[in-house]
Amino acid sequence: MKKFHVLAALIFCMLLSNVVAFAAPGDKLIKLGMRGEDVQMVQKSLLEKGFYVGEIDGVFGNATLKAIRDFQISNGLVADGVVGKETLLYLGRPGSAEGNPSRFGRSLTMSASGYSAYDDGNSNHTYGGNLVRKGLVAVDPGVIPLGTRLFIPGYGYAIADDIGGAIRGDKIDLAFDSHGEAMQFGRQRVTVYIVD
């Protein structure tokens, strides 16, 4: 009988060693030097929350590292620049980073218009050198410094990354991914919350 228990235990151990374990989201650390879909997902979340301005290219470089550290600091997390379970949890929360707009330090009422890379006469790159896309906005740097993180209700989180000849004083241009979206937005009065 003892031989049977020993044999059963041995077979059980052999079977366990052949089991393939699948990692749950956050089980795998996402860090500097990595590439792939996991990094793209992190970059997209950081862009939507107004922390990242680079391309969604799936390459975890210095721009992604800085964005993650800024996001971690903003959420009271350990700012190690590594995306583990806790950072991933916060990245997935709607409105994480700053909570609701009433908690932001300063707000401005501005005249906003939409623009895109596909509008006549526009470049497809911002003044900061990034592709024009939703989440990047043109400002008067004398009013809102370039690099400032913003929140605009109805538009979302954004980064001041562009300037324009007609953008002076209380005017702001909100970038969109298509000409149609920019035209649909048109010109509106918006409240711009300063996140930084």
Side-chain angles (χ1 to χ4, degrees), residues 156-177:
Y157 288 96
I159 295 177
D161 195 58
D162 206 0
I163 58 174
I167 308 302
R168 296 285 178 255
D170 70 343
K171 293 184 178 165
I172 187 169
D173 266 2
L174 310 181
F176 287 89
D177 293 329

Side-chain angles (χ1 to χ4, degrees), residues 19 22 25 28 62 84:
V19 171
F22 293 96
K28 178 173 65 171
N62 289 329

Side-chain angles (χ1 to χ4, degrees), residues 19-183:
V19 171
V20 176
F22 293 96
D27 284 350
K28 178 173 65 171
L29 298 178
I30 303 169
K31 53 191 173 180
L32 188 65
M34 293 182 74
R35 296 173 177 262
E37 290 179 10
D38 290 339
V39 177
Q40 281 181 314
M41 180 269 305
V42 167
Q43 289 172 330
K44 187 172 188 298
S45 294
L46 289 166
L47 175 73
E48 289 168 357
K49 294 182 183 307
F51 285 85
Y52 181 71
V53 295
E55 288 186 54
I56 308 297
D57 57 6
V59 178
F60 195 137
N62 289 329
T64 305
L65 178 66
K66 182 185 180 323
I68 288 168
R69 284 186 176 148
D70 289 347
F71 177 80
Q72 289 170 326
I73 290 166
S74 183
N75 282 282
L77 303 170
V78 175
D80 59 4
V82 175
V83 180
K85 282 183 182 180
E86 191 172 23
T87 300
L88 202 56
L89 176 69
Y90 275 77
L91 277 172
R93 286 185 187 168
S96 67
E98 285 76 35
N100 75 49
S102 65
R103 294 181 55 204
F104 299 145
R106 181 170 71 115
S107 66
L108 303 164
T109 301
M110 305 187 88
S111 174
S113 55
Y115 78 110
S116 79
Y118 307 100
D119 301 344
D120 289 338
N122 279 359
S123 167
N124 60 354
H125 284 83
T126 65
Y127 182 81
N130 295 293
L131 290 173
V132 172
R133 65 176 179 280
K134 190 171 191 290
L136 302 178
V137 298
V139 297
D140 177 345
V143 176
I144 299 173
L146 290 174
T148 302
R149 289 183 299 120
L150 310 167
F151 179 79
I152 301 132
Y155 182 77
Y157 288 96
I159 295 177
D161 195 58
D162 206 0
I163 58 174
I167 308 302
R168 296 285 178 255
D170 70 343
K171 293 184 178 165
I172 187 169
D173 266 2
L174 310 181
F176 287 89
D177 293 329
S178 72
H179 177 72
E181 289 173 302
M183 294 304 293

